[in-house]
């Protein structure tokens, strides 16, 4: 449990903590300050290391849910970033299509195709630990260069899975919200593939604004599809 891990790392003054999921393909870490380090930040650390030693090939691939801060931080360092649909198989397919070696999801499912053929939490964690040891930098220092934009995700129960972009009122609401963000944020609406839910995600620089826009969009989706 990440919350317990955060308390444990700071409580015993550890340098780092790591948490794997049940089958070990995902990992999240905790830095020495007790801050959670998610898959986006782990991708950033791995990408920066490969950039520094000339080992980064092709674009880094995330998903439509990856934090905008990752994309901007990589762009500042001259690395291209592509977004696949949610799901590690889509990330893998895009990496292969574009000749990339590094990709993953916010959840901590990271693909390092120059090390292994599938997501492996231990492989990911060991690489990050090696970077810490080699550079002499703490995990908080390694992740410092990536800003994390506030991101609000709301799940709207609907009668049946529907394409939210198929409705005019929803499209107009999205356009209005994007105008308010002024190009410094993102909006993602997508139907769940496993349950009758439409997911509404809004991301931007101001948490209060993001929260308000997400709630407004969720109300529009609910009125249209529920």
């Amino acid at each position: 449990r990440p919350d317990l891990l955060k308390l444990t790392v700071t409580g015993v003054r550890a340098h780092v903590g790591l948490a794997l999921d049940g089958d070990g393909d995902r990992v999240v870490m905790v830095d020495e300050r007790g801050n959670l380090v998610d898959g986006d930040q782990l991708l950033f650390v791995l990408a920066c290391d490969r950039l520094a030693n000339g080992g980064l090939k092709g674009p880094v691939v995330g998903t439509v849910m990856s934090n905008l801060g990752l994309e901007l931080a990589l762009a500042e360092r001259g690395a291209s970033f592509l977004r696949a649909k949610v799901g590690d198989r889509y990330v893998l397919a895009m990496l292969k299509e574009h000749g990339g070696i590094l990709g993953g999801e916010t959840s901590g499912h990271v693909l390092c195709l120059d090390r292994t053929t599938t997501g492996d939490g231990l492989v990911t964690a060991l690489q990050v630990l090696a970077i810490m040891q080699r550079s002499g930098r703490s995990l908080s220092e390694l992740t410092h260069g990536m800003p994390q934009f506030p991101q609000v995700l709301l799940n709207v129960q609907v009668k049946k899975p529907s394409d939210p972009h198929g409705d005019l009122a929803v499209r107009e609401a999205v356009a209005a919200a994007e105008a308010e963000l002024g190009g410094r944020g993102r909006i993602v609406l997508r139907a769940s593939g496993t349950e009758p839910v439409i997911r509404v995600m809004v991301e931007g620089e101001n948490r209060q604004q993001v929260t308000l826009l997400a709630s407004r969009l969720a109300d529009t989706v609910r009125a249209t599809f529920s």
Side-chain angles (χ1 to χ4, degrees), residues 19 21 25-28 37-40 42 104-110:
D21 69 343
D25 62 355
R26 301 179 185 182
V27 64
V28 293
V37 178
D38 64 18
D40 293 336
L42 295 177
E105 300 185 272
T106 308
S107 63
H109 196 138
V110 176

Side-chain angles (χ1 to χ4, degrees), residues 110-188:
V110 176
L111 296 167
C112 305
L113 300 186
D114 56 346
R115 300 290 192 276
T116 184
T117 59
T118 187
D120 189 313
L122 281 176
V123 170
T124 300
L126 287 170
Q127 288 184 79
V128 174
L129 293 174
I131 294 168
M132 292 172 60
Q133 192 277 331
R134 190 168 62 247
S135 67
R137 301 173 69 193
S138 67
L139 187 54
S140 66
E141 290 174 317
L142 291 171
T143 59
H144 179 71
M146 184 195 131
Q148 282 194 299
F149 280 50
Q151 194 178 80
V152 174
L153 175 65
L154 300 177
N155 293 324
V156 181
Q157 293 285 335
V158 296
K159 293 179 181 178
K160 63 179 181 178
S162 305
D163 176 12
H165 297 285
D167 182 81
L168 177 59
V170 172
R171 292 199 303 272
E172 289 178 343
V174 169
E178 288 176 336
E180 288 193 44
L181 289 171
R184 294 290 293 176
R186 295 189 309 121
I187 295 171
V188 178

